[in-house]
Amino acid sequence: MNEMGLIAKQARLRCFNSTNRKYMYRRNRVQQNFNQTAPNLLWVSDVTYARINQDFYAICVVIDVFSRKVLSYRISDKNDTALVLTAFKTAFTVRNNPQGVTFHSDQGLQYSSYKFRKHLRDCGVIQSFSNPGTPYDNAVAESFFSIMKREELSHNYYHSFEELEKTVSEYIDFFNRMRPHQKMGNLTPNEIECRYYEN
């Protein structure tokens, strides 16, 4: 990098969203076990924020832990049940309604709402929750957002929803098709899944 005059990207200061609320006990079925042997066994999801002018928009992703492939994403001006439900429905359709999936997330109100939990049950999906205040419990999703912010979101100012949508769409396509992962043998998510199905 030094010989080529390259400098590593650095993220800007982050904005934190915190709420004072009591958490119910919800079962953590994953226990930080992110080593999966096949696709559609464990999906993780999370929400982060990006600014458009002076407003913050929520970005929700659903990731297959086996390959780290981003299955779907949605962007909204509201971080609510509709956002995460739409992202899940898209991923579920893209994967042809797989059975035996465990869906893991934090205990945000949108993920723990009755409407979202009922939809997962109706789809035969097992739900799992991170322990409160334990980001390592959802490390795969946290890692993806950290990478996307460092490599893309933190270096742009967005003036419209269309600009943000285009950037997120292009970055996720790059992440899935072209970005190798050191922990995954320097393969891209798409390559990992292709090798699995070829075998």
Side-chain angles (χ1 to χ4, degrees), residues 12-19 46-52 55-60 75-80 83 110 145 148-149 153-154 158 164 168:
R12 295 200 309 257
L13 292 175
R14 295 185 293 170
C15 296
F16 293 92
N17 179 35
S18 61
T19 57
D46 199 6
V47 177
T48 193
Y49 293 90
R51 179 185 284 180
I52 300 177
D55 299 318
F56 284 94
Y57 280 67
I59 305 170
C60 176
I75 305 173
S76 173
D77 59 348
K78 296 182 179 65
N79 181 8
D80 57 9
L83 171 68
Q110 65 277 58
F145 278 139
M148 184 168 71
K149 288 178 180 178
L153 296 181
S154 293
Y158 303 102
L164 178 60
V168 172

Side-chain angles (χ1 to χ4, degrees), residues 40 43 62 71-72 84-103 119-126:
N40 302 325
W43 295 356
V62 177
L71 305 180
S72 68
V84 300
L85 187 56
T86 303
F88 170 79
K89 286 180 177 179
T90 301
F92 202 63
T93 300
V94 165
R95 292 296 212 184
N96 298 316
N97 305 341
Q99 298 302 301
V101 177
T102 296
F103 184 91
H119 184 77
L120 293 193
R121 288 196 300 271
D122 291 344
C123 292
V125 174
I126 301 168

